[in-house]
Amino acid sequence: MPQLPQRIWSDEDWERIQRGYAARGMDEKWNVFVEGEVVFLHRSWTGRGVFEATLAPVDGGGWRIARAVVERDPKRYRGTDDDYDCLILELVISAIVLGEPAQDLRSKLVELTRRGPGAADAPAGVIQHSALGLRSDS
Protein backbone atom coordinates (compact mmCIF):
# COMPACT_ATOMS: atom_id res chain seq x y z
CA MET A 1 0.00 0.00 0.00
CA PRO A 2 1.43 3.37 -0.93
CA GLN A 3 -0.38 5.07 1.98
CA LEU A 4 -0.30 3.79 5.54
CA PRO A 5 -2.12 4.91 8.66
CA GLN A 6 0.13 7.14 10.73
CA ARG A 7 -1.37 6.16 14.06
CA ILE A 8 0.89 4.79 16.78
CA TRP A 9 -0.89 2.12 18.79
CA SER A 10 0.11 1.74 22.43
CA ASP A 11 1.73 -1.43 23.72
CA GLU A 12 -1.62 -2.23 25.39
CA ASP A 13 -3.42 -1.75 22.06
CA TRP A 14 -0.94 -4.10 20.38
CA GLU A 15 -1.62 -6.75 23.02
CA ARG A 16 -5.36 -6.49 22.26
CA ILE A 17 -4.78 -6.48 18.49
CA GLN A 18 -2.76 -9.69 18.84
CA ARG A 19 -5.83 -11.40 20.29
CA GLY A 20 -7.65 -10.68 17.01
CA TYR A 21 -11.36 -10.52 16.39
CA ALA A 22 -13.84 -13.10 15.14
CA ALA A 23 -17.14 -11.98 13.63
CA ARG A 24 -19.97 -12.91 15.97
CA GLY A 25 -22.80 -12.88 13.46
CA MET A 26 -23.88 -12.34 9.89
CA ASP A 27 -23.88 -8.55 10.24
CA GLU A 28 -20.21 -8.41 11.13
CA LYS A 29 -17.93 -8.20 8.13
CA TRP A 30 -14.38 -8.74 9.39
CA ASN A 31 -12.22 -11.41 11.00
CA VAL A 32 -8.82 -10.26 12.20
CA PHE A 33 -5.91 -12.43 13.34
CA VAL A 34 -2.21 -12.00 13.94
CA GLU A 35 0.78 -14.16 13.11
CA GLY A 36 4.01 -12.77 14.48
CA GLU A 37 3.85 -9.05 13.75
CA VAL A 38 1.50 -9.35 10.77
CA VAL A 39 -2.17 -8.46 11.17
CA PHE A 40 -4.50 -10.19 8.68
CA LEU A 41 -7.91 -8.72 7.89
CA HIS A 42 -10.28 -11.15 6.16
CA ARG A 43 -13.88 -10.74 5.10
CA SER A 44 -16.00 -12.85 7.42
CA TRP A 45 -18.45 -14.25 4.86
CA THR A 46 -15.94 -15.31 2.22
CA GLY A 47 -12.84 -15.78 4.35
CA ARG A 48 -10.88 -13.87 1.72
CA GLY A 49 -7.88 -11.91 2.87
CA VAL A 50 -8.09 -8.22 2.03
CA PHE A 51 -5.30 -6.63 4.08
CA GLU A 52 -2.00 -7.72 5.61
CA ALA A 53 -0.31 -5.14 7.81
CA THR A 54 3.10 -5.57 9.41
CA LEU A 55 3.44 -3.66 12.66
CA ALA A 56 6.79 -2.60 14.05
CA PRO A 57 7.78 -1.19 17.42
CA VAL A 58 8.36 2.55 17.64
CA ASP A 59 11.25 4.07 19.57
CA GLY A 60 9.85 5.26 22.88
CA GLY A 61 7.01 2.73 22.89
CA GLY A 62 4.04 1.78 20.81
CA TRP A 63 3.55 0.18 17.42
CA ARG A 64 2.88 1.48 13.93
CA ILE A 65 2.11 -0.07 10.59
CA ALA A 66 5.43 -0.30 8.80
CA ARG A 67 4.18 -2.08 5.67
CA ALA A 68 0.84 -3.23 4.32
CA VAL A 69 -0.62 -4.88 1.26
CA VAL A 70 -4.18 -4.89 -0.04
CA GLU A 71 -5.91 -7.32 -2.38
CA ARG A 72 -6.26 -5.84 -5.86
CA ASP A 73 -7.90 -8.72 -7.73
CA PRO A 74 -11.33 -7.23 -8.57
CA LYS A 75 -12.89 -10.70 -8.26
CA ARG A 76 -11.85 -10.77 -4.60
CA TYR A 77 -12.00 -7.10 -3.56
CA ARG A 78 -13.48 -4.19 -5.44
CA GLY A 79 -11.45 -1.50 -3.73
CA THR A 80 -9.15 0.62 -5.89
CA ASP A 81 -8.82 3.83 -3.87
CA ASP A 82 -5.64 4.17 -1.81
CA ASP A 83 -7.16 6.76 0.58
CA TYR A 84 -10.16 4.49 1.24
CA ASP A 85 -8.00 1.41 1.80
CA CYS A 86 -5.71 3.26 4.21
CA LEU A 87 -8.75 4.44 6.14
CA ILE A 88 -10.48 1.03 6.21
CA LEU A 89 -7.31 -0.66 7.48
CA GLU A 90 -7.06 1.76 10.41
CA LEU A 91 -10.82 1.79 11.01
CA VAL A 92 -11.19 -1.99 11.23
CA ILE A 93 -8.37 -2.20 13.75
CA SER A 94 -9.60 0.78 15.77
CA ALA A 95 -13.38 0.31 15.72
CA ILE A 96 -13.75 -3.45 15.42
CA VAL A 97 -10.71 -4.97 17.10
CA LEU A 98 -10.21 -2.32 19.79
CA GLY A 99 -13.86 -1.29 20.08
CA GLU A 100 -13.10 2.42 19.89
CA PRO A 101 -15.83 4.86 18.78
CA ALA A 102 -13.44 6.17 16.07
CA GLN A 103 -15.89 8.92 15.12
CA ASP A 104 -13.33 10.90 13.13
CA LEU A 105 -12.46 7.82 11.06
CA ARG A 106 -16.15 6.97 10.59
CA SER A 107 -16.85 10.52 9.38
CA LYS A 108 -13.97 10.31 6.93
CA LEU A 109 -15.33 6.95 5.66
CA VAL A 110 -18.69 8.57 4.95
CA GLU A 111 -17.02 11.53 3.24
CA LEU A 112 -14.82 9.34 1.02
CA THR A 113 -17.68 7.02 0.11
CA ARG A 114 -20.01 9.87 -0.81
CA ARG A 115 -17.45 11.09 -3.36
CA GLY A 116 -18.02 7.89 -5.34
CA PRO A 117 -20.55 7.53 -8.12
CA GLY A 118 -24.13 7.13 -6.93
CA ALA A 119 -23.26 7.53 -3.25
CA ALA A 120 -23.60 11.29 -2.71
CA ASP A 121 -26.84 10.92 -0.71
CA ALA A 122 -26.16 7.57 0.96
CA PRO A 123 -27.04 7.61 4.68
CA ALA A 124 -24.03 7.49 7.00
CA GLY A 125 -25.35 4.41 8.82
CA VAL A 126 -25.71 2.48 5.57
CA ILE A 127 -22.19 3.42 4.48
CA GLN A 128 -20.69 2.33 7.79
CA HIS A 129 -22.63 -0.91 7.91
CA SER A 130 -21.68 -1.75 4.34
CA ALA A 131 -17.97 -1.31 5.01
CA LEU A 132 -17.67 -2.34 8.64
CA GLY A 133 -20.74 -4.32 9.52
CA LEU A 134 -21.39 -2.01 12.42
CA ARG A 135 -24.35 0.21 13.18
CA SER A 136 -23.57 3.92 13.20
CA ASP A 137 -24.27 4.00 16.94
CA SER A 138 -21.93 1.12 17.84
Side-chain angles (χ1 to χ4, degrees):
M1 289 176 55
Q3 298 174 6
L4 300 175
Q6 295 303 300
R7 176 174 174 172
I8 297 175
W9 281 277
S10 70
D11 292 331
E12 294 80 18
D13 291 339
W14 175 235
E15 288 176 19
R16 288 179 59 204
I17 292 167
Q18 287 177 298
R19 290 194 289 264
Y21 184 87
R24 297 180 193 127
M26 295 299 287
D27 284 336
E28 295 187 333
K29 309 236 182 221
W30 294 96
N31 287 319
V32 179
F33 63 95
V34 176
E35 292 180 2
E37 294 179 345
V38 180
V39 180
F40 296 88
L41 287 73
H42 287 222
R43 293 301 287 207
S44 63
W45 284 21
T46 64
R48 290 184 178 143
V50 177
F51 296 98
E52 293 179 14
T54 303
L55 274 76
V58 175
D59 290 338
W63 294 77
R64 86 164 356 135
I65 296 174
R67 178 182 170 280
V69 294
V70 61
E71 176 64 66
R72 282 296 186 228
D73 181 340
K75 293 177 187 169
R76 296 178 179 267
Y77 177 65
R78 290 179 277 171
T80 60
D81 182 279
D82 293 335
D83 290 332
Y84 180 87
D85 291 334
C86 180
L87 176 67
I88 288 292
L89 175 57
E90 182 174 358
L91 190 51
V92 169
I93 293 170
S94 298
I96 295 176
V97 177
L98 298 177
E100 299 171 345
Q103 292 297 34
D104 56 334
L105 296 174
R106 289 172 186 260
S107 295
K108 188 169 181 183
L109 170 66
V110 171
E111 176 187 324
L112 284 175
T113 302
R114 286 183 175 159
R115 290 184 194 166
D121 297 328
V126 171
I127 291 170
Q128 291 180 46
H129 181 75
S130 176
L132 300 172
L134 299 173
R135 297 183 320 271
S136 60
D137 63 341
S138 48

